[in-house]
Amino acid sequence: MRILLFTDALPELARGGLDLHVQELATALAAEDLEVVTYTARGQQSGHGGPAAQLARRLSQGSEDSTLGAFDAVLAEKQPDLVHIHSLQGLSHRLPERAVRFGIPVVWTLHDLYSICPRSHLHDGHGKPCSSPQLGAACGPCFGGLKGLLAAPVFGLRYAGYFGALHRCDRLIAPSQYIADVLLGEGVNSARIEVLPPGLPAPIRLAEPGGMDGACRFVFAGDLREAKGADLAVAAVTSLQEPSIHLELHGGAPAPPAPREVAYEDRLRQAATGSSVNFHGRYEPEKLLSILDGAAALIVPSRVRESFGRTANLALQAGVPVIAANHGALPEFIYEGVNGCLFEPGEVDSLADAMQRILERGLELQAEIESWPETPQLEHHTEALIQLYGALI
């Protein structure tokens, strides 16, 4: 089988979860003797089975017709047996239709909810959850108040275009039941949806257990953005007033094109002044396991509803309990008192209580890793995809 993996961008130094997954998946599929072509809309890219193709320019820098024409040319040249889309962010919703015209099956992994929400996570500009885009009618006010309200028809057309694209795909891969439920709520045909968590390559070892020296070290690993909630972890540690508790913040500005939230970073550092909080800056993905060594738990305090949770997944595979906000996809993988704790989203006191529970039982949880629920792995994800590809071709 020749598989064309399509995404919006794949930088040479991948840091984001989607970029890392596409790279890992391409390698895993190629190891199973599939011919893989990685095709990106912009940026540097790498490929298997030959040089990766590149779209002419991003839609905002060129016409939609030229983009679609470039995609047609790649389909004609590469003649893939199947197109597997991973991101259409900033691109035309008509791209799946072009593959269908060539008689090529299309699979789309919905790593987020960009197809129905311009903000990608069904939340407003303040991080508050949105129940539904209401066919795009709710998106205008969310983006621009009265001005956005006047632009509601444009958002309605966007919603209709992407909704049609979803139904032109042969299968939609949901990384969690949460994403599947949102799509079902919007009226997507259930027969098209497959729940298949992306998984990660298995770590080379378990993390060293935490708390052996009497200290309790919590880790936050992610972008320093308000949506990711590092400030909630800082506030929770401060409220506990326990000398033995330390918080290690590993992260920095998000990878481009997401803007840096300088004011938020400043507030975060001010809030941490005088507390047992250390800032370590951005880390490379391959360093995460060593960062988790000695940690009592990884804290994932996101204000927005996560669609999967790559960092939490690796922590669980490495035997490190996870404390996460009780919304989105993470509660599907975290079991209270078994492999971590859950807290009420956005609630500092609830997070502090969860940290206290880890303080009391963290070592016990880590010692019982053999009884933890199975965590999604890339190997299983790849096997399931290959079966799906074969059924569609």
Side-chain angles (χ1 to χ4, degrees):
M1 288 186 283
R2 178 180 293 177
I3 307 299
L4 191 150
L5 299 182
F6 179 90
T7 187
D8 63 330
L10 193 59
E12 187 174 7
L13 183 60
R15 289 196 178 102
L18 189 155
D19 300 336
L20 290 166
H21 174 71
V22 172
Q23 287 189 344
E24 291 165 353
L25 180 60
T27 300
L29 291 173
E32 296 295 328
D33 294 328
L34 275 71
E35 185 178 354
V36 181
V37 177
T38 307
Y39 179 36
T40 70
R42 54 191 181 273
Q44 295 177 332
Q45 57 277 318
S46 60
H48 295 265
Q54 180 180 11
L55 278 175
R57 287 181 292 181
R58 188 178 177 179
L59 277 180
S60 60
Q61 299 172 333
S63 70
E64 182 179 30
D65 286 343
S66 66
T67 301
L68 296 174
F71 188 51
D72 286 351
V74 168
L75 295 178
E77 176 191 352
K78 300 297 181 180
Q79 297 184 356
D81 296 305
L82 182 141
V83 172
H84 187 164
I85 295 170
H86 287 271
S87 176
L88 290 181
Q89 189 146 352
L91 299 170
S92 174
H93 58 74
R94 295 170 59 195
L95 286 166
E97 172 191 334
R98 311 303 280 204
V100 173
R101 288 187 181 185
F102 276 79
I104 302 171
V106 180
V107 172
W108 185 355
T109 293
L110 297 157
H111 293 273
D112 54 33
L113 292 167
Y114 179 79
S115 58
I116 62 171
C117 169
R119 294 190 187 276
S120 299
H121 291 286
L122 271 185
H123 64 89
D124 64 18
H126 303 288
K128 295 181 179 179
C130 167
S131 59
S132 170
Q134 300 177 27
L135 305 182
C139 300
C142 177
F143 266 80
L146 179 59
K147 184 177 180 180
L149 183 61
L150 295 175
V154 176
F155 287 101
L157 288 172
R158 178 198 187 278
Y159 182 93
Y162 276 97
F163 191 79
L166 292 173
H167 280 86
R168 288 186 181 91
C169 296
D170 295 87
R171 288 292 189 279
L172 303 172
I173 304 296
S176 58
Q177 188 60 49
Y178 160 66
I179 293 293
D181 289 343
V182 172
L183 296 175
L184 291 170
E186 293 299 309
V188 176
N189 188 336
S190 62
R192 297 181 184 274
I193 302 173
E194 298 270 352
V195 178
L196 185 58
L200 278 77
I204 58 175
R205 60 175 175 84
L206 295 178
E208 296 294 329
M212 302 301 291
D213 57 358
C216 192
R217 174 173 161 267
F218 292 96
V219 170
F220 169 91
D223 294 338
L224 298 186
R225 293 187 290 149
E226 191 166 6
K228 294 297 184 180
D231 59 296
L232 299 173
V234 171
V237 167
T238 303
S239 70
L240 286 173
Q241 298 182 339
E242 288 277 355
S244 63
I245 296 180
H246 303 275
L247 175 63
E248 308 288 336
L249 292 177
H250 292 265
R260 182 175 183 178
E261 298 183 13
V262 177
Y264 174 75
E265 291 182 36
D266 290 342
R267 293 197 307 270
L268 190 63
R269 293 183 182 277
Q270 291 172 7
T273 302
S275 64
S276 55
V277 178
N278 296 315
F279 290 80
H280 295 275
R282 176 172 284 283
Y283 65 93
E284 298 305 325
E286 63 271 14
K287 300 293 185 182
L288 182 56
L289 184 57
S290 61
I291 289 171
L292 292 171
D293 278 334
L298 172 76
I299 301 178
V300 186
S302 297
R303 287 185 167 89
V304 299
R305 293 165 288 188
E306 299 288 352
S307 58
F308 174 59
R310 180 184 176 89
T311 305
N313 184 286
L314 186 138
L316 293 173
Q317 287 196 48
V320 177
V322 175
I323 299 174
N326 190 15
H327 61 177
L330 287 174
E332 298 175 31
F333 308 102
I334 299 167
Y335 294 76
E336 177 68 38
V338 177
N339 60 358
C341 297
L342 299 169
F343 72 95
E344 289 302 309
E347 298 292 333
V348 172
D349 290 344
S350 181
L351 174 53
D353 287 344
M355 295 170 70
Q356 187 66 46
R357 296 197 296 277
I358 290 293
L359 187 63
E360 296 168 357
R361 294 196 58 225
L363 279 174
E364 179 184 344
L365 297 185
Q366 288 179 299
E368 297 175 352
I369 184 176
E370 295 297 330
S371 64
W372 287 13
E374 185 176 359
T375 304
Q377 294 187 5
L378 180 63
E379 178 184 2
H380 302 149
H381 180 85
T382 304
E383 291 173 355
L385 273 183
I386 292 174
Q387 291 181 9
L388 177 60
Y389 293 164
L392 295 176
I393 293 173

